[in-house]
Amino acid sequence: MEDCLFCKIAAGEIPSKKIYEDDLVYVFEDIAPTAPIHYLLIPKTHIKSAAEVAAENSALVGHIFEVIAKLAKDLKLDDGFRVVTNCGDSAGQTVKHLHFHLLAGREFGWPAG
Ligand code: AMP
Ligand code: ZN
């Protein structure tokens, strides 16, 4: 999709700190981390948000969660981690390309923080 920040990052047109990449998924450091580990996992194809997940692309979301589990194992996140996807304006989605925040390395409150 034209003028999508995360499409450009996945294509290497805008620099990012890469953590992991395969044919379907790109993982990079969040530019404004809110935890010692704060990575963003994005599909390489443009999906606007979790609201656009359907039969034709849900396997990709499953694959992203496989990558999350692999990273958590590799990074030894045995104490726990958080996965967040903000969907839509009221939830605070600022980039309209589906992404999952992987957060770890501190205590997390619930429901806030
Ligand atoms: P959200 O607010 O859930 O849409 O998350 C968007 C995230 O993208 C925020 O945590 C931003 O800090 C992050 N972000 C924005 N621009 C960049 C960038 N150029 N490189 C890495 N992360 C970015
Ligand atoms: Zn995009």
Side-chain angles (χ1 to χ4, degrees):
M1 188 194 179
E2 278 181 30
D3 283 333
C4 171
L5 174 64
F6 285 178
C7 280
K8 287 180 179 166
I9 285 178
E13 293 166 14
I14 289 177
S16 65
K17 290 189 181 167
K18 181 170 94 170
I19 300 296
Y20 172 89
E21 180 177 22
D22 63 28
D23 289 348
L24 302 173
V25 178
Y26 188 75
V27 185
F28 58 106
E29 287 184 4
D30 196 294
I31 205 167
T34 62
I37 290 175
H38 187 167
Y39 300 156
L40 299 173
L41 295 95
I42 61 173
K44 288 187 171 179
T45 52
H46 186 83
I47 300 170
K48 197 172 157 194
S49 74
E52 301 213 335
V53 175
E56 60 269 23
N57 58 21
S58 60
L60 180 52
V61 176
H63 178 67
I64 290 175
F65 272 83
E66 284 185 46
V67 172
I68 288 169
K70 176 188 160 28
L71 289 174
K73 196 173 174 190
D74 291 351
L75 295 163
K76 299 186 174 28
L77 303 182
D78 303 325
D79 286 345
F81 58 88
R82 179 168 287 180
V83 179
V84 174
T85 189
N86 296 318
C87 179
D89 292 333
S90 68
Q93 184 183 6
T94 58
V95 180
K96 301 298 194 285
H97 177 127
L98 178 65
H99 54 280
F100 295 87
H101 300 255
L102 173 61
L103 300 149
R106 66 169 171 85
E107 294 293 315
F108 297 98
W110 185 262

